[in-house]
Amino acid sequence: MINLVYIGSDIGDITVNAFNAITESDIILNYDDIDLSILDEYIKDKEIISNVVDDSEDADIYSKLEESYSKIEYCVYKSREDKTVTIVSSNNPNIYTVANVLIQISSKHNDIELKIYPGVSPVDYSASLLGAPLNDYAAIDLNNIIVSEEELEGKIKSALENDFVLFIHNLKGIYGEEENHNFNILKQIVNDFNNELLVGIVNGDSHEICKFKDIKDESINEKTTLIIGNRLTHILDDFMVTSSDYIVKPKFIEQNMDFFERYLKGETPRGLDMECEYLPCHKELEACDFCYCPFYPCADGVTGGEWIKEKNVWSCQYCDWIHLEEPCLAIREGLDGILEETEDLKTKHIELLKLRRQSLLKTLK
């Protein structure tokens, strides 16, 4: 029996099942030379195999890989002698690699039983430190040695263009002299796409949040992970948050319903309402098409709205997005297929929020 146990980014987060697999094993391969001292009481009678590879300048990639692979081969051999073997690995940068290699090596034999135990992945660990940055996301190993530069560029560009949040690990190459080469590729692509995107930089148990353009090279090392937000990612109470599905029941005042009665009759203004006594009502104001917002309350601070603390009231005071010309055009285009009567503001709130999200992705820079 061979167990592959992913410890995760912090051995303190090990699962109960993974702990049992370790304590019930005869042999432990410490694949990433993890500090297992917290488990000393439970593994003191086990055969422990370390996997420290030769990092000297004379050691080429093949000798390093062969040394690691030979340890896995040994584990496979011992398991065929009815030994329970557990390979313990961190997830970074081996988030996929160890399982892949173990399965391929084991496939040479007919009698190998494998079980893989997940740990708290660096994706989840990094996200938990930053807050709630993940929505749909792509995880990219920045220095997979058999991935071409062209393939890497294509993956990064595709993820950005389709508004995936990006999780980036293995930032610096382990092999070769140009350890920053692929990181520089990443920087160039993101800077060309939108260097205002928020990025969370995680180093161990510390983290920082900044705009991508403000990343400092000294913040990056071989163990750093990055979470690059999309256009719906913002900072909320010092957390990095990507808009998701916090949905609040709509509440409308009489003036709001009256406005949309007139909207449905084509009686509300387009563009600036020069006759309005409250003009200008917002800092950035290009259009008065939606003096009252059809999405209220969106409960999503990406456009500047916020809760009035302790009052359970959503304030749109600092939201200028819906008063700009381009968003108004996008909203009008979709609203015609949703809003047939004013009561639809309440009964079709989910459809309206979906339209808001579509319009945000069309118009946010």
Side-chain angles (χ1 to χ4, degrees):
M1 177 69 185
I2 300 181
N3 301 308
L4 173 58
V5 170
Y6 283 121
I7 291 293
S9 300
D10 186 337
I11 195 171
D13 293 328
I14 189 173
T15 67
V16 173
N17 288 339
F19 173 79
N20 289 338
I22 292 172
T23 58
E24 293 168 6
S25 61
D26 301 305
I27 301 170
I28 296 171
L29 169 58
N30 188 352
Y31 190 85
D32 297 314
D33 194 29
I34 301 164
D35 181 3
L36 299 178
S37 59
I38 193 174
L39 301 175
D40 279 351
E41 179 182 348
Y42 307 98
I43 63 175
K44 58 187 177 182
D45 297 326
K46 316 291 183 187
E47 178 185 346
I48 309 294
I49 307 167
S50 65
N51 193 42
V52 180
V53 298
D54 184 358
D55 280 329
S56 66
E57 293 182 2
D58 297 331
D60 62 21
I61 182 174
Y62 296 106
S63 62
K64 294 179 181 181
L65 290 176
E66 285 174 3
E67 187 171 348
S68 293
Y69 296 169
S70 67
K71 300 289 177 60
I72 296 178
E73 292 269 15
Y74 175 77
C75 290
V76 171
Y77 170 76
K78 297 303 287 187
S79 74
R80 300 184 74 205
E81 294 185 341
D82 293 327
K83 297 288 187 179
T84 299
V85 182
T86 297
I87 300 173
V88 179
S89 173
S90 71
N91 288 46
N92 189 16
N94 300 299
I95 189 169
Y96 311 115
T97 307
V98 182
N100 194 304
V101 172
L102 175 60
I103 290 169
Q104 292 195 61
I105 290 176
S106 299
S107 68
K108 300 175 185 178
H109 308 281
N110 291 318
D111 54 351
I112 303 300
E113 184 180 355
L114 295 178
K115 187 161 185 180
I116 299 173
Y117 294 85
V120 177
S121 74
V123 182
D124 295 318
Y125 179 80
S126 299
S128 69
L129 291 179
L130 296 168
L134 299 180
N135 200 314
D136 294 331
Y137 72 91
I140 295 180
D141 180 341
L142 201 61
N143 279 282
N144 185 323
I145 57 176
I146 61 171
V147 170
S148 68
E149 188 172 309
E150 180 182 6
E151 181 183 348
L152 179 64
E153 289 178 356
K155 288 178 177 179
I156 297 170
K157 289 177 181 177
S158 179
L160 291 170
E161 289 166 359
N162 288 283
D163 289 293
F164 283 94
V165 173
L166 266 175
F167 172 76
I168 308 291
H169 64 112
N170 196 15
L171 268 67
K172 295 200 171 190
I174 300 174
Y175 309 109
E177 296 179 358
E178 298 183 78
E179 64 173 15
N180 291 323
H181 180 68
N182 288 354
F183 180 57
N184 290 331
I185 290 174
L186 172 73
K187 287 201 296 183
Q188 185 63 54
I189 293 173
V190 179
N191 282 325
D192 289 345
F193 178 78
N194 183 354
N195 64 7
E196 296 286 327
L197 293 175
L198 284 179
V199 59
I201 305 168
V202 177
N203 286 301
D205 59 0
S206 66
H207 70 278
E208 58 181 296
I209 301 169
C210 64
K211 292 183 178 180
F212 190 87
K213 65 180 181 181
D214 296 325
I215 290 180
K216 296 180 175 62
D217 287 344
E218 56 265 31
S219 298
I220 306 301
N221 60 58
E222 66 276 5
K223 294 185 178 180
T224 302
T225 59
L226 301 181
I227 293 183
I228 304 170
N230 63 18
R231 286 174 289 180
L232 302 183
T233 305
H234 56 288
I235 293 177
L236 176 62
D237 290 343
D238 297 326
F239 290 114
M240 184 177 174
V241 175
T242 300
S243 301
S244 184
D245 56 358
Y246 178 48
I247 300 169
V248 180
K249 186 176 180 179
K251 301 175 184 178
F252 295 105
I253 59 176
E254 183 179 343
Q255 294 95 318
N256 189 302
M257 303 303 281
D258 176 66
F259 175 85
F260 280 100
E261 285 280 5
R262 292 185 289 113
Y263 176 89
L264 290 170
K265 296 176 182 178
E267 298 174 356
T268 53
R270 289 196 177 209
L272 289 176
D273 183 3
M274 305 305 295
E275 298 180 1
C276 178
E277 62 180 302
Y278 299 107
L279 194 74
C281 56
H282 281 258
K283 184 178 180 181
E284 294 186 49
L285 185 63
E286 297 175 355
C288 301
D289 297 38
F290 298 103
C291 180
Y292 290 87
C293 180
F295 311 122
Y296 186 84
C298 67
D300 178 14
V302 70
T303 58
E306 61 183 14
W307 289 104
I308 300 176
K309 295 188 183 296
E310 314 301 338
K311 293 185 180 293
N312 197 30
V313 175
W314 182 254
S315 169
C316 306
Q317 180 180 357
Y318 300 109
C319 175
D320 297 321
W321 172 75
I322 202 169
H323 302 297
L324 302 177
E325 185 176 359
E326 189 180 3
C328 283
L329 291 173
I331 293 166
R332 275 188 176 276
E333 183 180 344
L335 199 59
D336 290 343
I338 299 175
L339 201 62
E340 297 176 356
E341 56 184 5
T342 55
E343 196 64 22
D344 289 340
L345 293 168
K346 300 176 182 177
T347 60
K348 297 182 178 179
H349 189 51
I350 304 299
E351 293 177 56
L352 289 167
L353 291 180
K354 187 182 293 185
L355 170 61
R356 176 182 179 273
R357 184 181 178 90
Q358 292 171 341
S359 301
L360 282 169
L361 292 174
K362 285 181 181 178
T363 61
L364 285 181
K365 306 303 181 186

